[in-house]
Amino acid sequence: MKILKTDEAFFEENYSGFLKRASEGDAQAAATAQGVIADIRAQGDAALFDYTERFDGHRPEALEVTKAEIDAAMKSIEPKALQALKTAAARIRKFHLQQKKKIAASWTTQNEGVFVGEQIRPLARVGIYVPGGLAAYPSTVLMNAVPAKVAGVKEIIMVSPWRDGKPNPHTLAAAKLAGVTKIFKIGGAQAVAALAYGTKTIPAVDKIVGPGNAYVAAAKRLVFGKVGIDMIAGPTEIAVVADDGAAPESVAADLLSQAEHDPMAVSVLFTHSEKLIEAVQSALDRQLSGLERRSILKKAIEGSGLIVKTKNVNESIDLSNRFAPEHLSVQVKNARKTLPKIRHAGAIFLGPLSPVAFGDYLAGPNHVLPTSGTARFSSPLGVGDFLKRSSVIEVGPKAFEKLGPVVVRLAELEGLTAHAASVSVRKKI
């Protein structure tokens, strides 16, 4: 991994350059996605069949996954695997139920004779995109569908490609456990377009959530406005803040854990310990040789990996805040005490026994997280993403008498005389 030292000349220039990671997406993917969306809007299901045959290697007899196919998937799963999915689903559901209690209640109050408040309601129908390419992600199903179900969404529509016409049984099982309403065996930009605009077979949704490749991300960007979206996800990221008491093998394993997703994944270590840097470098070499996805890992670590040698833990945290990582692992003494200093991170993992994998699968908080520095202003997916707020206003007689003239004056200041008249017509003011 490349090494930068904060006490060296040109550190600021080099670190600032590193932080300028791409977030605008691929122009070619955007152009392709735009064409696909146009075809789906014009041809509907016919285009979906054509694109599924072209990109996924099969032409399905039907787009929707049947109950028999879901039941067969459930029966085919090894019992321990099914129990693991049930455990994860239960823990994720418990966390999001607690989240709902804090954010999902409508409220009203009286403000000098004006009855005001917010009415909070779930979205009616949402779409979940689940990748189905080189790897299958039943955890993605749980993380997207469970909070939607907890929020009260009535219809949860899942799309996921079937490579060569074969389903992943664990993905289907996770969908059943999470309460998904309908499942369609389609993927790519065409699936996003179908969810956004609807076809004869696939209903249009109010919001699309879930990760995907560059074409899926480009399509989500293009349909935003017609539907809501969760976020535009970039390559996954992990930052580790560690002191000289951290275990080198654990730090190295954490840096590699996210790098295996993507050759473009970003792994960063912030530490003031020269001894730890040397030990982590050696541990990376040892661990890489024994991992199945080492070709992907090697590209990610060599291409986007970085070690930053700092002066102390505080400087490490400050630089991590500037990075605003998707995942932040804090492996320092009394890690919990660092929380007030951490401003920007999608998910924070404290202490030596909290690998990111716990958050990926069953700790409870959502693993759909902001990337590419957007943790500065974005949050993990949660129950709130599946709720909408309506303002409630009811003006009483005394409040109308007192505040009406003020409304008229403000409207006249802006030259909006019809606004003013809508007040004065009710009672001569």
Side-chain angles (χ1 to χ4, degrees):
M1 295 173 74
K2 302 181 187 73
I3 299 178
L4 296 179
K5 298 183 178 182
T6 59
D7 59 1
E8 290 183 342
F10 305 111
F11 168 77
E12 183 59 36
E13 180 181 342
N14 290 329
Y15 188 60
S16 295
F18 170 76
L19 294 180
K20 293 177 181 177
R21 51 204 194 275
S23 60
E24 292 303 314
D26 179 61
Q28 181 181 357
T32 301
Q34 195 164 27
V36 170
I37 291 170
D39 287 344
I40 300 302
R41 294 188 70 180
Q43 302 171 37
D45 286 347
L48 283 176
F49 279 106
D50 290 343
Y51 277 118
T52 301
E53 182 175 26
R54 177 178 170 187
F55 293 129
D56 298 338
H58 73 109
R59 191 176 186 88
E61 293 182 7
L63 296 173
E64 186 172 356
V65 179
T66 65
K67 182 180 182 299
E69 288 171 320
I70 296 171
D71 290 341
M74 293 289 287
K75 291 177 182 178
S76 71
I77 293 175
E78 192 264 334
K80 287 185 178 180
L82 182 58
Q83 185 55 49
L85 288 171
K86 288 181 177 180
T87 298
R91 293 182 61 86
I92 295 164
R93 186 174 292 109
K94 184 176 182 180
F95 173 86
H96 288 91
L97 282 168
Q98 290 298 314
Q99 192 179 63
K100 183 180 180 180
K101 289 180 182 179
K102 298 182 183 300
I103 66 172
S106 299
W107 63 273
T108 58
T109 188
Q110 287 282 347
N111 185 359
E112 296 185 8
V114 181
F115 178 82
V116 295
E118 289 184 319
Q119 179 171 274
I120 299 177
R121 294 289 184 264
L123 302 181
R125 183 189 291 143
V126 300
I128 294 175
Y129 188 94
V130 179
L134 297 176
Y137 298 102
S139 61
T140 296
V141 180
L142 298 178
M143 292 293 182
N144 284 273
V146 168
K149 192 73 174 178
V150 168
V153 176
K154 295 298 184 184
E155 292 185 71
I156 303 173
I157 312 300
M158 185 177 112
V159 293
S160 186
W162 285 21
R163 297 302 175 192
D164 299 319
K166 298 177 182 178
N168 181 280
H170 299 100
T171 298
L172 294 185
K176 185 175 178 64
L177 292 172
V180 171
T181 311
K182 290 178 179 289
I183 309 172
F184 295 94
K185 52 187 87 169
I186 58 170
Q190 60 272 23
V192 173
L195 290 173
Y197 295 100
T199 70
K200 184 178 180 180
T201 302
I202 299 172
V205 302
D206 301 313
K207 189 169 189 175
I208 301 172
V209 300
N213 61 21
Y215 298 97
V216 171
K220 285 172 70 176
R221 191 189 299 275
L222 289 167
V223 301
F224 176 63
K226 172 64 178 175
V227 294
I229 62 172
D230 51 351
M231 62 187 75
I232 304 296
T236 189
E237 308 157 345
I238 181 171
V240 178
V241 170
D243 61 14
D244 50 12
E249 295 292 335
S250 296
V251 172
D254 289 339
L255 293 170
L256 291 171
S257 67
Q258 295 303 303
E260 73 175 338
H261 278 295
D262 188 337
M264 300 296 290
V266 183
S267 300
V268 185
L269 169 61
F270 299 96
T271 183
H272 59 278
S273 173
E274 192 75 54
K275 181 179 178 182
L276 181 67
I277 291 174
E278 294 175 2
V280 167
Q281 293 275 49
S282 298
L284 286 169
D285 290 337
R286 287 193 300 274
Q287 293 182 25
L288 263 173
S289 63
L291 294 169
E292 291 183 6
R293 297 165 73 92
R294 54 184 169 273
S295 61
I296 293 174
L297 285 160
K298 200 169 188 307
K299 289 178 183 177
I301 290 296
E302 291 180 354
S304 304
L306 180 68
I307 295 175
V308 180
K309 168 69 167 59
T310 63
K311 298 181 182 68
N312 49 51
V313 171
N314 285 338
E315 186 176 50
S316 292
I317 293 174
D318 287 343
L319 290 171
S320 175
N321 280 328
R322 289 178 59 187
F323 179 46
E326 178 186 14
H327 308 92
L328 172 61
S329 172
V330 184
Q331 299 183 43
V332 303
K333 185 179 180 181
N334 298 321
R336 196 181 296 182
K337 291 184 177 180
T338 67
L339 268 177
K341 301 174 184 177
I342 298 169
R343 300 191 309 275
H344 306 309
I348 304 165
F349 299 81
L350 300 174
L353 299 180
S354 306
V356 170
F358 264 69
D360 284 340
Y361 294 112
L362 54 63
N366 212 284
H367 80 193
V368 181
L369 303 167
T371 62
S372 303
T374 59
R376 292 178 294 107
F377 54 82
S378 296
S379 306
L381 189 73
V383 171
D385 290 284
F386 301 100
L387 299 171
K388 58 187 179 66
R389 296 173 295 138
S390 298
S391 299
V392 177
I393 301 166
E394 181 182 9
V395 183
K398 290 184 179 180
F400 187 89
E401 189 74 29
K402 178 181 179 181
L403 299 175
V406 181
V407 176
V408 170
R409 178 57 58 87
L410 291 171
E412 289 173 345
L413 286 174
E414 295 186 350
L416 299 177
T417 55
H419 281 61
S422 72
V423 177
S424 57
V425 74
R426 283 171 164 79
K427 185 176 182 181
K428 198 67 178 175
I429 295 173

